[in-house]
Amino acid sequence: MKRNIDECLKISTVLTIYIYDLFNVRILPNVKLDFYPGPWALGLETDISALESIECGHVKSLTSDYFWKYERETYDFDVHQTFRFGWGRIFEGKYAYQVMQIIADLSDAGVLKKSLDKTTIIELAEIITFASKAYIFDYRLKTMTALKAIMKYLVLNEYVAANEFDAFLIIDDTYRHLSFDERGFGLRINGRAGAILDVSNSEKKEYDEFDALHYMFKDETWDQSFYLGYEMNYENPLSRQWQFGASMRVDWVDTSQGDIDEGYGVSWTFIESDIQTRLKYYHNTRWSVSSRFGIDAYYDISPREDLAAAGGRYVIYKYNKFYINQTISLSTEHHLNPNMSLHASLGGGLKIERYFNYHFEETAEPDGSSLTLDQLNDYVESALKENDYNWFFSIGIIYRIL
């Protein structure tokens, strides 16, 4: 195995590879049904993914004029069925947040004639909710309907003067810039069960410099999984400016995968979990900062079985894998206008991965030889432990059409 890795490294230093993604179409239908009897919740969700892609490229030697071309066509079909059952809700709180921010901005501007009590805030939040969710296709008319409803309520209840133009400008500015901010509150606990089926068909053709076909490879694979899991979501608005959220997920998964043509398949069982915490600070209607910390882990309950070398069954090896991955990030968002925002993120992580309980079953190579014990030991030593450090920085602009 170590010999094969060394040969790949040598090849990569004398070749340059150019890849072109010519065609890529993905269809992603999703059907979701939810039923809430009292405090309980039932849900059924179906995700279907169909992908067709065509990729081509050419590989050129850095030391000679020799090169070859290839093309790969892939079809992939995926079905994911999930059933959820649980208790609790995550309630939408962004409309109450809009009301509280509007009141704060009106008060700071000195145009609020009297303070609003809790009951009044709830009534105004309901008005904004109904206006924002009205079935009006034209976004401009929908926004005007919401602004009229807010201003009318405040004037009729004598919170602002009818001719107070500054009050309308403040309401318009605050409502538009907070329309896409999500605030929630509540606790939701779900159990879930599901199944995933994925079938992939790939065909690769290679041509020499004279466009003559000299190699063709077809690969048909399948992958199926059944899982039982538990998930919890919690959202808590600590104040008008601070939002805290946390989530946890644990899944038991039984999975199988294999090659349709060769009839070769492997299966194993594992547990994976994920814990996330989020804290966000809303400085004003334009700018917010958020931090996120997460840990995800994976553990093989039953041994996995795999091949030591792709394309040749030199040795079959069985092993258990365990990893824990920790990530932390800091993000900021600035609204350039109601529909456009600037995002920037900085973060990093540490992944600790371990393999254990190795067991090898040697098989003959195509030329009749077999891997030696020294080569197996070299592979095991290099794969038993792995620590991966990473960091990232991203910046981008998001524009919302509606």
Side-chain angles (χ1 to χ4, degrees):
M1 174 56 65
K2 188 173 186 299
R3 175 195 61 204
N4 294 335
I5 294 176
D6 291 341
E7 289 176 354
C8 289
L9 291 176
K10 291 178 181 178
I11 291 174
S12 66
T13 61
V14 297
L15 297 177
T16 179
I17 302 174
Y18 301 91
I19 299 175
Y20 308 93
D21 195 357
L22 295 182
F23 181 75
N24 195 317
V25 174
R26 182 180 293 273
I27 302 174
L28 299 169
N30 174 273
V31 178
K32 186 176 181 180
L33 298 174
D34 292 309
F35 177 58
Y36 300 98
W40 304 98
L42 300 174
L44 186 65
E45 185 172 2
T46 302
D47 288 291
I48 300 175
S49 171
L51 169 69
E52 179 183 4
S53 66
I54 299 176
E55 173 189 296
C56 72
H58 66 269
V59 181
K60 186 179 185 301
S61 171
L62 299 178
T63 58
S64 67
D65 294 331
Y66 178 75
F67 73 95
W68 71 90
K69 295 178 290 185
Y70 79 90
E71 62 181 19
R72 179 187 289 113
E73 188 170 6
T74 301
Y75 300 92
D76 187 86
F77 181 75
D78 179 273
V79 179
H80 185 181
Q81 183 70 58
T82 303
F83 173 68
R84 293 185 176 88
F85 47 94
W87 172 90
R89 305 280 191 280
I90 299 295
F91 296 98
E92 195 171 42
K94 78 171 186 178
Y95 300 111
Y97 167 55
Q98 284 180 323
V99 172
M100 296 175 67
Q101 189 63 51
I102 288 172
I103 294 171
D105 291 344
L106 291 174
S107 178
D108 292 340
V111 296
L112 190 66
K113 298 170 65 175
K114 58 182 179 178
S115 60
L116 282 71
D117 57 22
K118 182 178 179 180
T119 303
T120 305
I121 292 176
I122 294 175
E123 291 178 355
L124 188 53
E126 291 177 347
I127 290 174
I128 296 179
T129 301
F130 289 126
S132 299
K133 294 183 178 295
Y135 290 97
I136 303 176
F137 182 76
D138 191 322
Y139 178 73
R140 180 180 61 87
L141 295 177
K142 189 174 183 178
T143 302
M144 291 173 60
T145 301
L147 294 175
K148 288 179 181 178
I150 298 170
M151 191 65 183
K152 182 178 179 181
Y153 180 88
L154 294 175
V155 171
L156 291 178
N157 290 276
E158 299 181 348
Y159 290 105
V160 297
N163 59 350
E164 185 60 70
F165 187 67
D166 288 343
F168 182 79
L169 292 177
I170 291 172
I171 294 171
D172 176 72
D173 179 80
T174 304
Y175 176 81
R176 290 177 184 271
H177 281 88
L178 296 184
S179 294
F180 299 103
D181 286 327
E182 297 297 332
R183 302 291 296 266
F185 61 96
L187 173 67
R188 183 179 64 216
I189 301 174
N190 282 332
R192 58 181 190 163
I196 303 173
L197 174 63
D198 180 79
V199 179
S200 179
N201 185 314
S202 179
E203 180 178 278
K204 181 180 179 180
K205 297 179 181 179
E206 291 187 1
Y207 303 86
D208 60 21
E209 55 187 323
F210 303 105
D211 292 334
L213 178 66
H214 71 90
Y215 176 78
M216 184 173 69
F217 174 75
K218 291 185 177 181
D219 188 27
E220 292 182 317
T221 61
W222 57 269
D223 190 330
Q224 66 179 22
S225 298
F226 301 93
Y227 64 88
L228 293 172
Y230 158 86
E231 60 184 0
M232 181 274 293
N233 290 278
Y234 174 71
E235 293 289 340
N236 183 15
L238 303 176
S239 68
R240 179 169 55 86
Q241 293 179 301
W242 290 93
Q243 177 79 23
F244 174 78
S247 62
M248 181 176 68
R249 175 184 60 85
V250 179
D251 286 318
W252 174 90
V253 184
D254 183 77
T255 188
S256 303
Q257 57 185 220
D259 191 290
I260 297 176
D261 293 332
E262 297 183 5
Y264 177 76
V266 298
S267 62
W268 70 97
T269 305
F270 62 89
I271 292 177
E272 60 179 357
S273 63
D274 179 78
I275 300 175
Q276 300 282 338
T277 61
R278 304 169 299 278
L279 183 64
K280 190 168 185 177
Y281 172 70
Y282 296 87
H283 179 67
N284 51 37
T285 59
R286 300 294 196 277
W287 181 58
S288 62
V289 179
S290 61
S291 63
R292 181 185 295 266
F293 175 74
I295 298 177
D296 60 278
Y298 174 101
Y299 172 72
D300 283 325
I301 300 175
S302 63
R304 297 182 61 168
E305 183 177 301
D306 213 335
L307 300 177
R313 301 193 175 185
Y314 309 145
V315 60
I316 297 175
Y317 62 99
K318 298 179 180 180
Y319 61 92
N320 293 72
K321 183 173 77 170
F322 165 79
Y323 74 76
I324 183 168
N325 185 32
Q326 307 165 67
T327 59
I328 187 170
S329 64
L330 182 67
S331 304
T332 182
E333 178 181 7
H334 180 72
H335 290 279
L336 303 175
N337 60 50
N339 295 91
M340 184 182 295
S341 58
L342 176 66
H343 293 254
S345 297
L346 175 66
L350 167 63
K351 183 177 183 180
I352 301 173
E353 194 167 34
R354 297 291 184 267
Y355 298 82
F356 51 95
N357 294 338
Y358 268 90
H359 173 68
F360 291 89
E361 298 175 4
E362 292 190 52
T363 60
E365 292 191 37
D367 60 2
S369 62
S370 62
L371 294 174
T372 66
L373 183 60
D374 289 338
Q375 290 170 330
L376 291 178
N377 288 335
D378 289 340
Y379 176 74
V380 173
E381 290 298 326
S382 64
L384 277 177
K385 298 180 180 181
E386 182 177 344
N387 296 333
D388 182 22
Y389 304 89
N390 64 83
W391 70 275
F392 65 87
F393 173 74
S394 64
I395 186 169
I397 294 178
I398 295 179
Y399 183 81
R400 302 173 178 89
I401 299 176
L402 295 177

